[in-house]
Amino acid sequence: MITLYGSARSSAGRCFWCLEEVKAPYNAVEVNFRTKEHKSDLFLKINPNGKIPAMVDDDVTLFESMAINFYLAEKYKKDLLGTTLQEKGYVYQWSIWAIAEVQPPIIGAFIQKVFVPEDKRDLGLIEKSLAQVPAFLKILEDRLGESKYLAGNEFTLADLNTASVVSILNHIQYDLSSYKNLSNWLTVLSEREGFRKYAALLQK
Ligand SMILES: N[C@@H](CCC(=O)N[C@@H](CS)C(=O)NCC(=O)O)C(=O)O
């Protein structure tokens, strides 16, 4: 049985969404940041980075949210990895692009706006980070004008992983309404059964 460490309201969220999509049985284990459980010797044996998410599945222990999602798809629902060589390439492309290129500036602004008290915020950092976002959104908007989903006609991990990054913008009231294809895609994804089950975890 899969054990996923972390809260749905964190980088682990995309793994909970994936677990619900692939319908895998799992245990969810909260890691207490207040008591620094994520830096405890016990947890560092699971993830030496001292971060969530981490996953244990019998003798397999993994860190990095997107690596966990690739593992889950490979084990439980291979179609999520794409069915043709081209689709598989796109699944890697969009997932790696989202985590390596798009997430850093978005998280930079998110941390400042959500966790740093207003009088201590680095406004220059927020401005510099958010200035990078429109170019990424245009790339997605254009791609979603060509096909319903990022890798083609079917929902894949490319959509789940990329949407999980772009959706962080909703937490900082970033206006996405002028990106029609992107907004429509996010709506379609939010209507999926797997997404709804994951969203219900956020209410707990
Ligand atoms: N690239 C990692 C990022 C993980 C990450 O930064 N997790 C945060 C919570 S969202 C964390 O555990 N932070 C604790 C720390 O940095 O000490 C992933 O996607 O799994």
Side-chain angles (χ1 to χ4, degrees):
M1 163 99 78
I2 304 266
T3 299
L4 185 68
Y5 294 85
S7 150
R9 283 182 219 86
S10 74
S11 297
R14 62 178 64 108
C15 302
F16 282 102
W17 181 7
C18 193
L19 279 163
E20 297 297 345
E21 287 287 344
V22 302
K23 298 184 168 46
Y26 66 92
N27 291 319
V29 177
E30 287 273 353
V31 177
N32 192 332
F33 274 27
R34 283 206 193 109
T35 61
K36 298 226 174 291
E37 196 183 355
H38 56 311
K39 306 296 180 194
S40 67
D41 289 346
L42 202 63
F43 188 74
L44 290 173
K45 286 199 180 96
I46 298 168
N47 183 354
N49 299 287
K51 293 185 179 191
I52 54 164
M55 185 213 76
V56 177
D57 182 24
D58 293 327
D59 57 348
V60 179
T61 301
L62 289 179
F63 56 81
E64 280 302 323
S65 54
M66 288 196 186
I68 293 169
N69 284 357
F70 274 92
Y71 175 89
L72 294 173
E74 182 70 36
K75 179 165 179 178
Y76 295 105
K77 201 171 179 187
K78 284 196 168 60
D79 282 4
L80 286 183
L81 298 169
T83 51
T84 63
L85 187 58
Q86 184 188 52
E87 280 176 14
K88 287 172 200 273
Y90 283 146
V91 170
Y92 284 116
Q93 171 192 282
W94 291 110
S95 300
I96 292 170
W97 175 76
I99 195 90
E101 300 285 334
V102 185
Q103 182 160 289
I106 293 182
I107 282 287
F110 172 83
I111 289 172
Q112 288 295 318
K113 289 192 153 204
V114 174
F115 293 118
V116 178
E118 203 165 348
D119 58 329
K120 299 220 165 60
R121 279 182 202 155
D122 184 339
L123 298 180
L125 176 70
I126 296 175
E127 195 183 339
K128 207 171 143 194
S129 301
L130 292 181
Q132 297 176 55
V133 173
F136 296 132
L137 298 180
K138 179 166 186 329
I139 289 170
L140 284 171
E141 180 70 4
D142 290 349
R143 172 59 183 160
L144 292 165
E146 295 168 353
S147 63
K148 182 171 179 195
Y149 295 104
L150 288 176
N153 293 325
E154 303 296 333
F155 172 80
T156 65
L157 265 195
D159 303 292
L160 192 160
N161 286 337
T162 306
S164 71
V165 169
V166 173
S167 303
I168 300 168
L169 290 169
N170 291 329
H171 300 289
I172 53 171
Q173 289 74 48
Y174 191 101
D175 185 11
L176 291 169
S177 61
S178 62
Y179 300 91
K180 301 288 177 212
N181 301 329
L182 174 61
S183 301
N184 181 50
W185 170 73
L186 288 173
T187 303
V188 167
L189 299 184
S190 71
E191 288 163 353
R192 297 183 62 81
E193 187 192 349
F195 181 88
R196 285 176 191 265
K197 288 191 170 163
Y198 147 65
L201 300 175
L202 300 172
Q203 310 306 320
K204 285 186 181 167

